[in-house]
Structure formats: structure tokens, C-alpha cells
């Protein structure tokens, strides 16, 4: 029997869950709006087995997918592992066969050449399926109602890239699934691809480009007719993999870029605009086009914000410099320079996991939400995986500049929120926000429901789990039309 090592990665806030199951009709505090009809899906990393070697990292855990089905004022819960090829091979062996995060050299010889994906980063209903994504491997298809895994897809042979990005955007006008993949030719390859998949699953646009250096293209945005891709100075090289160090290192000497190209081109028009040296932006709130200008709203930090990817030259992780604050980065396509035009602070509260009303993706918009750090507040729990305790939910009204927030109390933290429109044609921001609030003292998680533009009032309802979920990454809402005729249990 191989036990999990006594490491912070498996202790306290990061204690594993590894529990699949169903709960019909969760206990509710307050009142769940009866109009909420659909499902909120989210995923967290949750290793099935103890790592092959010690020193594993948070982003390497197997994806555990949770579904919260809202109907008639009730919420039911279903949780299953994303049964990736990795999960199945390891399950059969009864132990870990795959080694370090994105380093196949550390794998058991029996699994060489297999997909290493964990599907632990994002889940989204598109077409008939629930897609579970990890940026180092193809797209995993799950049943949106049962959460059974069907397996990897190459979109009927139309997308045979080795990788599939985990931050797709749905074009609100066409319904197209817009995404980027990087290192699609293999580890350390500086290639990128942008593509759009229509509602019938056909790849209708595709543009290939070269990235200035090998790095992760973790998130991006559509912006009117354009694609906008932030590049942060994370890289890697063969020595790192040979020595089994963390796959990415932070290298201050590399430029930070905003890549911009047309969505309907072939990629040859890609321009890389430089911005503040050293700065990092992992996630995108939104981006939009204004004449020849493009605006990208994103949390930005002065140095690498991810503690798992250390400084190349050994500089210690500085949580203060790693703090991310919302900024608007503007580039002007009419300019002949390769520098961004401006970087303007957009909000006061430092935070991450930005979200919008997804019906505004790529368009001028007003409302954004992030989970933020309020350092002035007390905290009774143990430390978590990030640079601080994300204890506050903040609404940014980008029209008035107003910020309103709700502190979750001294015992816990908040996971990424998700906006749910009141109805398909409701105005922007009219609806609810859901977010998991984890109590690290009592070890429960509540899925909290907020009035989206009045988060300061606190949750209007809580769907209460009898367990605490692990820190998650991303998730999305699917309304009842997207769930189809059959209703989930
Ligand atoms: C990120 C997350 C990942 C990953 C690479 O936030 C980058 C960035 C959850 O997995 O594999
Ligand atoms: Fe992400």
C-alpha cells in the first residue's frame, strides 16, 4: 500500500477529497430562486493515488468534477472523477504510473506515449457534451448528466493537436467555441493555434502562430474581430525536464507580451506588444475592441504569481510582488511600435479568478467579478495554496468605478464565482452569482448564491455540503436548454 506523503500538499486546506457520489436535494439555508434552472459545473485537482515521487504539485492532481443541479428551488449534487486515460491506467494498476507535472521522463515505462492529461482545469457544456480540459492534452468528453467519462476527442479528426487549451470562450454572437492550444506539437514547442468550433462540432476557423518563446498560454480572450493573448515570462528548457525540476520557471529576463491577431486570419498577422518587464497575467476578465484599439482587462502582478513555478535564478517567492491587481492593458493596432499603449489600474482590491457575464465575452461590458484578498481581516484557518487567503467576493462596476464586496468571515475562503443570467435576454449583470465558500475550521463547503450586482449583501441562499471540497480551479453554468430534455437526477 502506497500512502500519501506527509506534505502540505495533502494537509489542512489541501486535504484530498477523492469522493464520488450523489446527494439529492442539498440542505438549503435561505431561499434558492425558483427561476434558477440549470447546472453549475466546476473541477478541482484531487490525485487518485499517492505520487510516484514526493514533491508533486497542486496542478498535477486528477480532475474531480462537481455538478450542482438547480431546479424548483432545490439543488442536487453529483461528483465524479474525470476518468482520463491516466486515471484508468492508474486505477487498473492500483498506483501512480505518471510522474511529475508535464514531465513524461518521470513516467513508468508502461505508459510512455499515453495522454498524460488530468482534465483538472475547466469544465464547460458545449453541444451535447460536458468538456473537461487540461492544457497539456486533448479535450476530454464527459456525459453532462451522469458525469460518466466518454474519452478524449479529436473532433472527428478535425483537431489532431496534442493539446487543447482550458480557457475557451463562447462567442455570444455565433455560439462558436473559441480556443487556443499551445505546445500542440509536443513539450517545449513554441507553437500556438487559435480555432473556432461551431455548434455542430465543425472546426470553422484555424490560425497558427509562433510564440516568441516557449511558455504557457493559459488564458486568452476574444475581442471583437481579434484574439488577445497575454504572455507572462514563464518558460522551460530540456535541462529542467532532465533534472525533474518544476516544468515552468519564472524568468524575469524574458519580455511580457500581449499577442494580438485577427480571428478570421491564418495567424500571419500576429503582433506581440511588449508591456511591463517581469509582469504576469494568468487570467483574463474580458477584452474588447474600440476602433483600432483593443482593451484587455486582467489581474496583473509584478512577478510570477504562481508559487509552484519558482524563479529561474532561485529568487524566493515574494507574495507581495506576486499579488495580482485588475488592470486594463490597451494596445493600438494603428501604432507602429511594439509596445502596449497603456496599463491602467481598474480596481483597488487585489485578487484573481476574474469572471464576467459570459454573454459579453469579447464586447464592451460593464460588470466584472473577482475573488479578492482583504488582508485587514482575521483568519482562523491554515494557509492555502495561493499567495494569500482569498476571503472576499468583489463586484466591479466598470462604468461607475464602484467596487462592492462581501467578506466570507474569519474561518474560510472563496472559490471562483460564476455568473448566471436571470433569463437568456436579461440585461448584462441581471442575475445571480454562485461561488463555493469553504469553511476550513468546521470543514464544510457551501455553494452560495448572490444577487450578482449586490454581492455586498451576502448570500441570499446557501446549498450546504456535508463535506468540504478541495480548492478548485474553474467552472461554468449550463442552463436547462443546454442540459437537454432529460433532467439530471
Ligand atoms: C495553470 C493552471 C494549470 C496548468 C497550467 O493557472 C497553468 C495556471 C490547473 O492547471 O496546468
Ligand atoms: Fe485558469
Amino acid at each position: 500500500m502506497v500512502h500519501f506523503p506527509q506534505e502540505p500538499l495533502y494537509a489542512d486546506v489541501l486535504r484530498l477529497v477523492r469522493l464520488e457520489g450523489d446527494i439529492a436535494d442539498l440542505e438549503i439555508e435561505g431561499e434558492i430562486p425558483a427561476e434558477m434552472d440549470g447546472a453549475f459545473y466546476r473541477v478541482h485537482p484531487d490525485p487518485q493515488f499517492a505520487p510516484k515521487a514526493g514533491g508533486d504539485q497542486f496542478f498535477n492532481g486528477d480532475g474531480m468534477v462537481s455538478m450542482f443541479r438547480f431546479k424548483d428551488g432545490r439543488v442536487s449534487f453529483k461528483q465524479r472523477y474525470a476518468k482520463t486515460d491516466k486515471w484508468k491506467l492508474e486505477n487498473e494498476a492500483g498506483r501512480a504510473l505518471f510522474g511529475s507535472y508535464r514531465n513524461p521522463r518521470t513516467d513508468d515505462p508502461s505508459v510512455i506515449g499515453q495522454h498524460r492529461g488530468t482534465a483538472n482545469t475547466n469544465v464547460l457544456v458545449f453541444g451535447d457534451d460536458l468538456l473537461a480540459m487540461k492544457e497539456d492534452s486533448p479535450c476530454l468528453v464527459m456525459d453532462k448528466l451522469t458525469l460518466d467519462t466518454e474519452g478524449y476527442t479529436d473532433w472527428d479528426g478535425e483537431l489532431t493537436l496534442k493539446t487543447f487549451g482550458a480557457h475557451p470562450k463562447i462567442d455570444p454572437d455565433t455560439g462558436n467555441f473559441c480556443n487556443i492550444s499551445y505546445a500542440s506539437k509536443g513539450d517545449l514547442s513554441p507553437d500556438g493555434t487559435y480555432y473556432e468550433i461551431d455548434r455542430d462540432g465543425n472546426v470553422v476557423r484555424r490560425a497558427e502562430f509562433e510564440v516568441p518563446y516557449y511558455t504557457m498560454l493559459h488564458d486568452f480572450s476574444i475581442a471583437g474581430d481579434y484574439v488577445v493573448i497575454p504572455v507572462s515570462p514563464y518558460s522551460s528548457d530540456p535541462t529542467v525536464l532532465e533534472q525533474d525540476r518544476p516544468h515552468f520557471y519564472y524568468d524575469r529576463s524574458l519580455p511580457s507580451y500581449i499577442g494580438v491577431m485577427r480571428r478570421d486570419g491564418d495567424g500571419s498577422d500576429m503582433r506581440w506588444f511588449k508591456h511591463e518587464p517581469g509582469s504576469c497575467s494568468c487570467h483574463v476578465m474580458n477584452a474588447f475592441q474600440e476602433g483600432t484599439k483593443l482593451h484587455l482587462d486582467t489581474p496583473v502582478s509584478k512577478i510570477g504569481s504562481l508559487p509552484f513555478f519558482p524563479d529561474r535564478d532561485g529568487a524566493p517567492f515574494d507574495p507581495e510582488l506576486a499579488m495580482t491587481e485588475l488592470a486594463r492593458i490597451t494596445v493600438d493596432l494603428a501604432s507602429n511600435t511594439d509596445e502596449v499603449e497603456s496599463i491602467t489600474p481598474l480596481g483597488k482590491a487585489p485578487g484573481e479568478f476574474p469572471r464576467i457575464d459570459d454573454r459579453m465575452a469579447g464586447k464592451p461590458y460593464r460588470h466584472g467579478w473577482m475573488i479578492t484578498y482583504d488582508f485587514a481581516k482575521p483568519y482562523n484557518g491554515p494557509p492555502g495554496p495561493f499567495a494569500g487567503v482569498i476571503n472576499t467576493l468583489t463586484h466591479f462596476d466598470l462604468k461607475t468605478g464602484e467596487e462592492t464586496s462581501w467578506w466570507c468571515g474569519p474561518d474560510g475562503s472563496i472559490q471562483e464565482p460564476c455568473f448566471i443570467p436571470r433569463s437568456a435576454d436579461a440585461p448584462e449583470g441581471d442575475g445571480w452569482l454562485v461561488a463555493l465558500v469553504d469553511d476550513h475550521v468546521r470543514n464544510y463547503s457551501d455553494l452560495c448564491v448572490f444577487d450578482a450586482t449586490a454581492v455586498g449583501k451576502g448570500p441570499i441562499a446557501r446549498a450546504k455540503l456535508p463535506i468540504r471540497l478541495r480548492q478548485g480551479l474553474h467552472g461554468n453554468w449550463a442552463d436547462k436548454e443546454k442540459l437537454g430534455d432529460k433532467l439530471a437526477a
Side-chain angles (χ1 to χ4, degrees):
M1 185 65 207
V2 187
H3 295 285
F4 284 89
Q6 305 287 307
E7 290 173 8
L9 184 57
Y10 313 104
D12 299 322
V13 169
L14 289 174
R15 183 182 289 219
L16 301 176
V17 177
R18 299 162 74 222
L19 185 72
E20 299 189 303
D22 297 86
I23 304 172
D25 207 1
L26 290 174
E27 255 183 83
I28 304 293
E29 204 177 285
E31 207 162 318
I32 301 283
E35 311 101 285
M36 292 180 82
D37 192 347
F40 170 57
Y41 298 87
R42 48 75 72 188
V43 62
H44 70 247
D46 206 348
Q48 178 183 198
F49 292 109
K52 269 189 83 203
D56 199 17
Q57 63 121 310
F58 179 65
F59 285 168
N60 208 28
D62 298 293
M64 180 67 94
V65 177
S66 330
M67 173 191 191
F68 294 86
R69 172 74 171 107
F70 285 70
K71 186 159 180 60
D72 299 331
R74 299 172 182 227
V75 182
S76 64
F77 174 74
K78 184 183 284 295
Q79 183 159 279
R80 296 288 186 277
Y81 266 119
K83 298 200 170 113
T84 58
D85 296 5
K86 170 186 185 287
W87 190 96
K88 289 179 182 161
L89 289 160
E90 294 187 335
N91 189 260
E92 210 157 289
R95 66 188 173 91
L97 299 171
F98 293 79
S100 309
Y101 172 79
R102 299 182 78 163
N103 192 349
R105 288 152 196 81
T106 59
D107 294 349
D108 188 277
S110 67
V111 297
I112 299 294
Q114 302 280 350
H115 293 307
R116 307 184 80 254
T118 50
N120 71 7
T121 311
N122 203 354
V123 275
L124 171 74
V125 171
F126 181 65
D128 288 336
D129 301 311
L130 177 67
L131 307 180
M133 294 158 273
K134 174 74 171 181
E135 65 200 52
D136 68 354
S137 34
C139 178
L140 191 78
V141 175
M142 298 175 72
D143 187 290
K144 64 193 172 191
L145 301 182
T146 64
L147 299 187
D148 291 340
T149 298
E150 288 165 25
Y152 285 108
T153 181
D154 65 2
W155 304 88
D156 294 324
E158 288 188 46
L159 209 59
T160 54
L161 308 173
K162 285 187 174 154
T163 59
F164 192 87
H167 278 282
K169 307 291 177 277
I170 303 296
D171 180 328
D173 296 326
T174 62
N176 283 359
F177 179 101
C178 308
N179 200 14
I180 55 172
S181 291
Y182 71 93
S184 66
K185 301 188 168 121
D187 285 324
L188 310 181
S189 166
D191 67 83
T193 309
Y194 171 76
Y195 43 90
E196 295 191 13
I197 303 173
D198 72 10
R199 292 169 208 232
D200 300 321
N202 303 307
V203 177
V204 292
R205 279 182 175 173
R206 181 172 177 147
E208 272 153 46
F209 55 92
E210 200 174 310
V211 192
Y213 51 87
Y214 172 71
T215 186
M216 58 176 165
L217 304 182
H218 179 69
D219 195 0
F220 81 104
S221 186
I222 52 174
D225 302 325
Y226 292 86
V227 191
V228 182
I229 308 174
V231 168
S232 309
Y234 284 112
S235 195
S236 192
D237 61 55
T239 323
V240 166
L241 304 187
E242 277 155 30
Q243 298 176 349
D244 192 17
R245 297 203 307 261
H247 181 98
F248 290 108
Y249 51 67
Y250 172 70
D251 181 355
R252 241 207 97 85
S253 70
L254 296 169
S256 298
Y257 292 107
I258 305 297
V260 177
M261 67 173 186
R262 288 193 65 82
R263 286 167 60 190
D264 60 0
D266 63 1
S268 58
D269 60 323
M270 177 67 92
R271 284 177 71 178
W272 298 102
F273 293 88
K274 284 191 191 133
H275 68 112
E276 243 162 77
S279 71
C280 278
S281 98
C282 192
H283 290 121
V284 161
M285 181 172 269
N286 199 9
F288 61 96
Q289 185 180 354
E290 186 187 20
T292 63
K293 294 188 187 193
L294 296 169
H295 305 288
L296 168 68
D297 297 349
T298 169
V300 184
S301 54
K302 295 191 172 63
I303 63 161
S305 59
L306 300 168
F308 339 99
F309 300 141
D311 186 271
R312 190 192 64 168
D313 304 319
F317 182 76
D318 180 339
E320 220 160 286
L321 292 177
M323 220 17 89
T324 41
E325 293 180 21
L326 194 62
R328 175 162 293 175
I329 306 179
T330 300
V331 306
D332 189 348
L333 293 168
S335 81
N336 295 317
T337 76
D338 66 349
E339 303 271 332
V340 305
E341 183 179 272
S342 59
I343 306 177
T344 318
L346 262 196
K348 292 184 287 291
E352 242 290 350
F353 294 101
R355 294 304 299 258
I356 55 165
D357 177 338
D358 291 314
R359 298 172 302 166
M360 306 309 290
K363 296 172 179 268
Y365 70 114
R366 173 172 180 180
H367 299 285
W369 296 267
M370 286 210 301
I371 42 178
T372 55
Y373 303 88
D374 185 342
F375 302 108
K377 294 291 198 290
Y379 177 61
N380 301 324
F386 301 123
V389 182
I390 312 185
N391 56 6
T392 302
L393 174 65
T394 300
H395 168 235
F396 296 82
D397 183 329
L398 301 175
K399 188 170 159 197
T400 63
E402 210 180 325
E403 257 169 64
T404 45
S405 59
W406 175 73
W407 172 50
C408 75
D411 297 338
S413 61
I414 312 181
Q415 302 201 20
E416 184 188 68
C418 177
F419 175 80
I420 301 167
R422 192 174 306 279
S423 64
D425 53 8
E428 181 195 352
D430 180 19
W432 305 278
L433 212 68
V434 290
L436 276 165
V437 175
D438 306 319
D439 184 323
H440 302 301
V441 174
R442 291 164 206 84
N443 285 317
Y444 298 121
S445 293
D446 292 344
L447 185 67
C448 291
V449 181
F450 301 83
D451 178 342
T453 52
V455 301
K457 287 195 254 165
I460 56 174
R462 291 171 177 254
K464 295 156 80 79
L465 288 174
I467 58 167
R468 180 166 58 74
L469 297 188
R470 206 167 184 238
Q471 175 66 51
L473 293 160
H474 307 293
N476 290 287
W477 172 258
D479 62 23
K480 66 171 186 293
E481 280 79 31
K482 288 207 192 97
L483 294 183
D485 308 329
K486 275 189 301 169
L487 294 182

